[in-house]
Amino acid sequence: MRIDIITVEPDLLRSPFENSMMKRAIEKNLAEVHLHNLREYGFGNYRQIDDYQFGGGAGMVLMIEPIAKCIDELKSKRKYDEVIYMTPDAPTLNQPTANTLSLKENILILTGHYKGVDQRVRDQYITKEISIGDYVLTGGELAAAVLCDAVIRLIPGVLGDETSALTDSFQDNLLSPPVYTRPSDYQGMKVPEVLLSGNFHKIEKWRNEKAIERTQQIRPDLLDEN
Ligand code: 6GU
């Protein structure tokens, strides 16, 4: 999979791809990520990329021309399966969306900033809009990193068997059950007996019960989606 990200803050986005799982995915050639600094497509000596909004109001708006120039250049080189705009006023990212995107070949992500982008960018170029939750971030950069992490870890071969994405919370609309490691008794706080029993069937049953219990307590809305 190839991911191109158009951003005003490329430095803010570098480290997630230089560490941990995403770094390994890139090293294994299972993913490539290219950052494009929108500023380089700006106007004049100041490389202007934003301007005041028509009709008045606080906050600068990213102009269509620098973005159009950048997207057109990228599109002339390859076909993109999706052109995604990261913005809080969009449907929220969930596991099915991440699953679907993990099967794509080329994805282009535009991250918003300031007051957002000129609506004509969204009308003309964007095929999918994604928010990562009901709160406001300063820009879409960190949201893009979240999206990339959720998607890249699903690409076959990125995770080892022991961390298979299939057993993640949300893959079956259930939260994960509690997990424990050594010691089995920490200052009188004991690991549930069943996990030490060696009885695989009983352990699976316990984990499933705990998953349902946790989901009922913390995210009952997920159970309604089944
Ligand atoms: Cl994608 N962008 C911004 N700026 N804020 C957000 C978001 C995205 N998702 C949730 N909050």
Side-chain angles (χ1 to χ4, degrees), residues 85-90 112-114 130-141 143-144:
Y85 176 47
M86 303 305 302
T87 181
D89 55 337
H113 221 71
Y114 314 111
I130 297 177
S131 161
I132 63 163
D134 293 339
Y135 43 81
V136 177
L137 303 170
T138 311
E141 287 77 19

Side-chain angles (χ1 to χ4, degrees), residues 21-22 24-25 28 30-31 152-160 163:
M21 175 281 295
M22 290 202 274
R24 285 200 303 277
K28 287 195 212 168
L30 297 170
I152 289 174
R153 64 193 293 285
L154 295 171
I155 298 171
V158 170
L159 299 184
T163 48

Side-chain angles (χ1 to χ4, degrees), residues 1-196:
M1 167 186 288
R2 175 183 170 119
I3 301 176
D4 289 273
I5 306 177
I6 303 171
T7 171
V8 185
E9 301 282 0
D11 290 340
L12 185 55
L13 254 177
R14 255 182 261 286
S15 93
F17 300 106
E18 291 171 353
N19 292 283
S20 185
M21 175 281 295
M22 290 202 274
K23 175 187 179 179
R24 285 200 303 277
I26 292 164
E27 283 173 352
K28 287 195 212 168
N29 286 322
L30 297 170
E32 45 178 306
V33 177
H34 300 267
L35 303 178
H36 306 278
N37 189 347
L38 184 61
R39 184 73 58 187
E40 289 169 18
Y41 297 82
F43 289 118
N45 288 341
Y46 294 103
R47 298 265 153 226
Q48 188 185 353
I49 52 174
D50 57 2
D51 211 334
Y52 298 100
Q53 54 180 313
F54 282 124
M60 305 294 274
V61 174
L62 290 173
M63 295 187 287
I64 188 169
E65 283 155 296
I67 294 170
K69 218 190 305 178
C70 185
I71 293 181
D72 286 341
E73 186 181 305
L74 288 166
K75 276 183 157 181
S76 73
K77 292 178 186 148
R78 66 196 65 77
K79 190 184 166 334
Y80 288 94
D81 301 297
E82 295 282 9
V83 181
I84 301 171
Y85 176 47
M86 303 305 302
T87 181
D89 55 337
T92 313
L93 177 63
N94 56 19
Q95 196 60 48
T97 300
N99 292 347
T100 303
L101 290 175
S102 75
L103 302 172
K104 306 292 186 194
E105 212 52 55
N106 297 307
I107 293 175
L108 178 52
I109 301 175
L110 172 65
T111 67
H113 221 71
Y114 314 111
K115 210 66 198 163
V117 301
D118 190 299
Q119 180 61 36
R120 290 166 291 185
V121 171
R122 300 169 75 161
D123 297 342
Q124 191 66 32
Y125 287 100
I126 301 302
T127 62
K128 193 174 187 62
E129 300 189 330
I130 297 177
S131 161
I132 63 163
D134 293 339
Y135 43 81
V136 177
L137 303 170
T138 311
E141 287 77 19
L142 297 178
V146 167
L147 173 64
C148 289
D149 185 302
V151 168
I152 289 174
R153 64 193 293 285
L154 295 171
I155 298 171
V158 170
L159 299 184
D161 277 347
E162 76 281 8
T163 48
S164 166
L166 293 175
T167 60
D168 287 341
S169 277
F170 296 109
Q171 280 298 7
D172 47 11
N173 263 356
L174 288 177
L175 303 186
S176 292
V179 294
Y180 298 86
T181 186
R182 290 190 302 167
S184 61
D185 184 336
Y186 176 69
Q187 297 182 355
M189 293 185 283
K190 295 199 173 72
V191 170
E193 203 73 51
V194 59
L195 296 179
L196 310 173

